[in-house]
């Protein structure tokens, strides 16, 4: 029988780097065990569906007031500023809350914290419905505050669970599917809520919204149960020793990638905020309906194409290259929109939607690639907080510059150039370091194989075959390792003989 103390494993690439010889040292499994991801069970696809429905309910609730803005303002007799406050109390705290949520998720475990976040959102949705029912604005506002406290934290938690289920294969596809279902929630509430109002009134619009939140809570319960079933035995998912300051110990790749995300998203989201006015200034003067239909192109493309580009990113990898390509493309698109006499904006907007989808499919799986598994929640929380901060700051700058649209487009070109600089820095740091950003599918397969214990020559040969797919010179180093370690490590041997 194999002896456990004679089983050894190769360190994962993020610790040693495998491009300069992918095995630098060996260590006993029971001395420093490698954290494993969930087994590739078919149940992970069920978790993916439930995670998508969880975010569907969150987006349905968030966009409900916008779908019935006029009737809601009339029924509660609220001003424009009071209406805007319903969204501000959600958005402003979430500059910081995702970071706090990610920290709590890693420190106390995904299962327990996700339950609390979902409960907070459900109570917030209930208070919102009661506020509309009794026409009391402050109850509705308190409901939105509570909903905001848990909303973005839920997104961080479900992203970590999906990443653990699909790490090493289909992760970009999985995140693309959740993005599609999440944005579908916004579309459904925009279509369904006005119809519900016409048939039953404003009260039922918010009670249906609460029912969707209740359904999301049940999805969360099932996710927690399935997550516990799929978790490998003996794996502890929380880190009681984690401190807030550990966020600053995340590696250079992560911080550079976070700023890439910040500036790349800054070329799209603030543009969408002013897109209707921009289109009416150049192409659809006095026709807000046509401008509104046209401005939906980028979001529509990004929603429906996210799973497709997710499959592409899973196959080719190249997240760093995609960031460089996207930065250059965004600069050219905004250059065309602002400084060329185009007969129609549709083609540039379609290209903007495609590039938006491509880099969205690439950057979030890359967060997993550059951070250790025990800090995935913290990393996603920090990245989301930085993104939310940019989404709060950049639209303010754009609104200050507008309606000087040439200056606005110059600002977006400037953001694209900054994103390009950070993308190139990411490529350089990754090239000089562990090279985890641009992994292709065979390379990710090798990475997973390297994290498993080697107990026989057959497993060693399988590792060599995989490495030969893309880096043949590593074979000599494997055989050198075998020569120096002899049977003591690579063979299961009865040492009593």
């Amino acid at each position: 029988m194999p002896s456990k103390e004679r089983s050894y494993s190769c360190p994962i690439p993020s610790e040693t780097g495998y491009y300069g010889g992918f095995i630098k040292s060996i260590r006993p499994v029971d001395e420093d065990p490698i954290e494993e991801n969930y087994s590739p069970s078919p149940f992970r696809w069920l978790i993916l569906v439930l995670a998508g429905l969880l975010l569907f309910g969150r987006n349905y609730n968030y966009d409900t007031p916008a779908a019935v803005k006029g009737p809601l303002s009339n029924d509660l007799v609220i001003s424009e500023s009071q209406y805007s406050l319903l969204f501000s109390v959600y958005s402003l705290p979430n500059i910081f809350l995702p970071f706090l949520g990610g920290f709590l998720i890693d420190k106390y475990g995904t299962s327990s914290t996700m339950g609390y976040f979902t409960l907070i959102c459900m109570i917030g949705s209930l208070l919102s419905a009661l506020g509309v029912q009794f026409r009391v604005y402050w109850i509705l506002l308190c409901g939105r505050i509570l909903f905001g406290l848990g909303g973005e934290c839920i997104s961080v938690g479900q992203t970590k669970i999906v990443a653990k289920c699909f790490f090493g294969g289909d992760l970009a596809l999985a995140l693309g599917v959740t993005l599609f279902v999440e944005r579908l929630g916004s579309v459904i509430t925009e279509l369904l809520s006005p119809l519900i109002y016409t048939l039953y009134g404003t009260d039922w619009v918010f009670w249906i919204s609460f029912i969707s939140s209740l359904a999301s809570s049940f999805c969360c319960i099932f996710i927690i149960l399935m997550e516990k079933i799929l978790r490998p035995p003996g794996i502890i998912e929380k880190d009681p020793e984690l401190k807030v300051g550990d966020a600053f110990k995340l590696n250079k790749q992560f911080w550079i990638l976070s700023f890439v995300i910040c500036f790349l998203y800054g070329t799209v989201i603030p543009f969408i905020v002013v897109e209707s006015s921009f289109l009416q200034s150049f192409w659809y003067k006095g026709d807000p309906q046509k401008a509104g239909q046209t401005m939906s192109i980028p979001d529509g493309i990004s929603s429906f194409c996210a799973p497709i580009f997710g499959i592409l990113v899973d196959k080719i990898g190249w997240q760093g290259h995609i960031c460089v390509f996207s930065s250059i493309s965004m600069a050219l698109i905004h250059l065309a929109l602002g400084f060329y006499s185009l007969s129609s904006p549709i083609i540039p907007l379609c290209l903007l939607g495609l590039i938006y989808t491509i880099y969205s499919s690439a950057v979030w799986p890359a967060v997993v690639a550059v951070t250790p598994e025990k800090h995935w929640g913290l990393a996603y929380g920090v990245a989301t907080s930085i993104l939310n901060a940019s989404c709060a700051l950049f639209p303010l700058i754009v609104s200050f510059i507008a309606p000087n649209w040439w200056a606005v487009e110059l600002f977006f070109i400037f953001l694209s150039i900054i994103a390009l600089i950070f993308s190139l820095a990411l490529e350089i740091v990754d090239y000089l370091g562990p090279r985890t950003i641009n992994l292709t599918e065979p390379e990710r397969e090798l990475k997973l194989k390297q994290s498993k214990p080697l107990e026989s020559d057959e497993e060693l040969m399988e590792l060599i075959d995989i490495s030969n797919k893309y880096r043949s010179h590593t074979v000599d180093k494997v055989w050198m390792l075998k020569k120096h370690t002899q049977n003591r490590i690579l063979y299961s041997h009865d040492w009593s003989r």
Side-chain angles (χ1 to χ4, degrees):
M1 294 292 292
S3 174
K4 183 179 180 181
E5 60 269 18
R6 300 301 177 188
S7 300
Y8 281 71
S9 63
C10 307
I12 58 176
S14 60
E15 295 176 333
T16 62
Y18 50 78
Y19 273 70
F22 70 85
I23 298 181
K24 289 186 178 179
S25 62
I26 50 178
R27 63 187 179 198
V29 173
D30 38 344
E31 282 184 11
D32 190 11
I34 295 174
E35 201 170 351
E36 296 184 16
N37 299 294
Y38 303 145
S39 56
S41 164
F43 288 112
R44 65 181 185 152
W45 295 101
L46 177 58
I47 285 185
L48 177 62
V49 172
L50 294 172
L53 292 175
L54 177 63
L55 294 185
F56 176 96
R58 187 201 65 173
N59 273 32
Y60 189 98
N61 273 266
Y62 174 78
D63 288 316
T64 296
V68 288
K69 176 185 176 182
L72 178 66
S73 299
N74 293 333
D75 289 348
L76 272 68
V77 193
I78 58 176
S79 64
E80 185 69 27
S81 60
Q82 287 176 308
Y83 169 80
S84 300
L85 190 60
L86 296 176
F87 293 90
S88 298
V89 294
Y90 180 98
S91 301
L92 292 178
N94 278 300
I95 296 175
F96 310 101
L97 285 176
F99 163 68
L100 178 61
F103 168 76
L104 294 175
I105 286 167
D106 283 343
K107 186 175 180 67
Y108 299 107
T110 311
S111 301
S112 55
T113 50
M114 281 285 287
Y116 287 118
F117 294 147
T118 307
L119 179 62
I120 291 172
C121 283
M122 187 178 68
I123 294 174
S125 181
L126 175 61
L127 286 178
S128 297
L130 290 173
V132 174
Q133 178 75 46
F134 295 108
R135 304 296 190 264
V136 180
Y137 173 74
W138 68 266
I139 296 179
L140 171 61
L141 186 64
C142 289
R144 294 291 290 183
I145 292 173
L146 278 179
F147 185 76
L149 291 177
E152 293 296 310
C153 297
I154 285 178
S155 179
V156 173
Q158 71 84 28
T159 302
K160 180 176 180 179
I161 290 178
V162 170
K164 290 174 76 70
C165 289
F166 289 89
F167 177 67
D170 302 320
L171 177 55
L173 168 62
L175 294 179
V177 169
T178 58
L179 177 64
F180 167 72
V181 179
E182 174 186 0
R183 291 181 177 173
L184 194 62
S186 299
V187 175
I188 296 298
T189 190
E190 290 171 0
L191 295 175
L192 189 60
S193 294
L195 178 61
I196 296 173
Y197 166 73
T198 303
L199 296 176
Y200 305 106
T202 313
D203 300 350
W204 272 102
V205 171
F206 281 82
W207 283 115
I208 295 295
S209 181
F210 168 68
I211 291 173
S212 73
S213 180
L214 193 63
S216 294
S217 300
F218 283 110
C219 289
C220 182
I221 292 172
F222 283 115
I223 288 174
I224 292 171
L225 294 176
M226 296 303 302
E227 187 261 350
K228 290 182 177 180
I229 292 174
L230 292 179
R231 189 190 311 155
I235 297 298
I236 300 175
E237 65 156 355
K238 56 186 177 181
D239 182 8
E241 303 299 323
L242 185 67
K243 300 177 181 178
V244 173
D246 290 342
F248 298 101
K249 298 178 182 178
L250 294 171
N251 59 40
K252 290 183 292 185
Q253 286 175 292
F254 166 75
W255 287 106
I256 295 173
L257 177 62
S258 296
F259 285 107
V260 171
I261 293 172
C262 166
F263 289 105
L264 272 179
Y265 273 83
T267 63
V268 176
I269 294 178
F271 174 74
I272 291 175
V273 172
V274 298
E275 186 180 0
S276 178
S277 300
F278 174 75
L279 293 176
Q280 290 182 65
S281 297
F282 284 93
W283 290 281
Y284 307 117
K285 291 181 171 61
D287 192 352
Q289 183 177 1
K290 182 65 174 178
Q293 293 172 350
T294 307
M295 70 176 287
S296 65
I297 290 175
D299 272 335
I301 291 176
S302 67
S303 298
F304 288 97
C305 293
I308 299 172
F309 284 107
I311 296 173
L312 180 64
V313 171
D314 281 326
K315 292 296 181 183
I316 67 171
W318 295 358
Q319 283 99 327
H321 304 335
I322 289 174
C323 290
V324 173
F325 169 76
S326 299
S327 302
I328 297 172
S329 299
M330 280 299 178
L332 295 176
I333 290 170
H334 283 292
L335 182 66
L337 284 170
F339 298 95
Y340 284 86
S341 300
L342 301 174
S343 59
S344 172
I346 291 178
I347 292 179
L349 291 179
C350 287
L351 292 175
L352 186 141
L354 287 173
I355 301 301
Y356 180 31
T357 311
I358 290 172
Y359 73 69
S360 297
S361 301
V363 294
W364 296 111
V367 173
V368 170
V370 301
T371 52
E373 181 178 334
K374 64 180 181 179
H375 290 156
W376 281 355
L378 183 62
Y380 273 118
V382 171
T384 303
S385 289
I386 293 175
L387 173 60
N388 288 349
S390 71
C391 291
L393 175 62
F394 292 155
L396 292 177
I397 297 175
V398 169
S399 64
F400 178 78
I401 299 173
N404 187 344
W405 298 115
W406 290 276
V408 168
E409 288 299 340
L410 277 176
F411 176 69
F412 289 133
I413 293 171
F414 171 74
L415 293 181
S416 302
I417 294 172
I418 298 298
L420 176 61
I421 293 172
F422 276 105
S423 299
L424 292 174
L426 180 65
E427 292 272 59
I428 294 171
V429 171
D430 188 64
Y431 180 82
L432 298 176
R435 300 195 180 186
T436 56
I437 287 289
N438 294 310
L439 294 179
T440 61
E441 192 172 36
E443 293 169 343
R444 285 194 300 270
E445 185 182 356
L446 174 60
K447 180 177 179 178
L448 288 178
K449 291 291 183 181
Q450 283 181 278
S451 66
K452 304 296 182 181
L454 293 176
E455 296 184 344
S456 67
D457 275 344
E458 287 76 12
E459 293 182 1
L460 176 64
M461 292 304 299
E462 183 181 3
L463 188 61
I464 293 172
D465 289 340
I466 296 173
S467 70
N468 280 335
K469 291 182 180 179
Y470 68 100
R471 187 66 66 147
S472 60
H473 76 269
T474 58
V475 175
D476 293 335
K477 294 189 177 289
V478 173
W479 283 109
M480 287 176 63
L481 172 67
K482 180 177 178 181
K483 178 179 178 180
H484 286 293
T485 54
Q486 301 293 329
N487 294 347
R488 181 175 63 84
I489 294 173
L490 296 176
Y491 291 97
S492 300
H493 182 73
D494 186 354
W495 292 87
S496 64
R497 293 181 181 177

